[in-house]
Amino acid sequence: TTSPTNRWLKAGLGCGFMPRESLSQVALPRGSAMNSSRRLTGFSPAVRNRIKVRAGTEGDYTRCEFCGQYNQYVQLHHRRARGMGSTRRTETNTAANGVALCMADHAWCEDFRADALKLGWLVPQHRDPSAVPVLLHDGWWLLSDTGEKYSVPEPAGGKVA
């Protein structure tokens, strides 16, 4: 069967950084981002749904867990990064490791990593995301793998150690 990516390439659709006519000449190595043989990584559809339900939805809009605003285009952020080439650690793709963020707040987390770490938006590789509190728009919480959240007191100094 033809993957959506291959159909996209065969249709000759441009992608902004490469002229449309050049796409047909691109050889995609096995395992590349646009090759259909790539191992799928990331949150499963069930986990994606748990994260969005926890965040709150209204129709097609999901609440950003950082700023609290509803947005049609939220992104699911891994608190503990998958790393280059992803990971096989099962807790990486759980609801406790994911938060729904608007694009601006997701960019903030990536650009200001030291601050995001203090607020629990990023989790060190050696820590379990379900044991690290995170500052959401409505207070400090521990996130569970089932999509629940549990209120916790503000950490000492207002930041995660």
Side-chain angles (χ1 to χ4, degrees):
T1 64
T2 304
S3 74
T5 300
N6 289 337
R7 284 195 299 272
W8 177 77
L9 288 173
K10 287 179 184 175
L13 300 174
C15 58
F17 62 88
M18 183 179 289
R20 184 178 309 177
E21 53 277 1
S22 299
L23 286 172
S24 61
Q25 301 168 12
V26 175
L28 298 175
R30 185 170 182 79
S32 72
M34 298 177 85
N35 186 302
S36 62
S37 65
R38 182 176 182 212
R39 180 173 60 94
L40 297 177
T41 63
F43 300 112
S44 70
V47 170
R48 295 175 68 81
N49 187 57
R50 284 185 202 124
I51 294 169
K52 287 182 175 184
V53 167
R54 181 188 67 221
T57 59
E58 285 187 8
D60 291 338
Y61 293 80
T62 302
R63 183 188 301 251
C64 171
E65 292 186 273
F66 192 52
C67 68
Q69 298 297 310
Y70 284 92
N71 195 304
Q72 193 171 10
Y73 304 105
V74 296
Q75 299 172 336
L76 299 185
H77 167 70
H78 283 87
R79 296 173 61 210
R80 189 180 68 206
R82 293 181 289 174
M84 298 293 287
S86 81
T87 182
R88 296 190 186 276
R89 293 168 68 181
T90 56
E91 66 272 16
T92 297
N93 291 313
T94 62
N97 193 41
V99 287
L101 300 177
C102 65
M103 288 188 225
D105 289 337
H106 196 190
W108 182 89
C109 283
E110 298 299 338
D111 291 345
F112 299 96
R113 297 181 73 79
D115 292 328
L117 191 63
K118 293 174 188 174
L119 300 175
W121 289 96
L122 291 177
V123 175
Q125 287 294 328
H126 67 279
R127 303 277 311 266
D128 177 359
S130 66
V132 176
V134 59
L135 180 62
L136 303 182
H137 65 91
D138 55 353
W140 286 93
W141 300 87
L142 282 177
L143 307 179
S144 77
D145 293 342
T146 60
E148 305 287 324
K149 63 182 187 178
Y150 303 96
S151 181
V152 295
E154 182 176 335
K159 59 184 180 182
V160 177

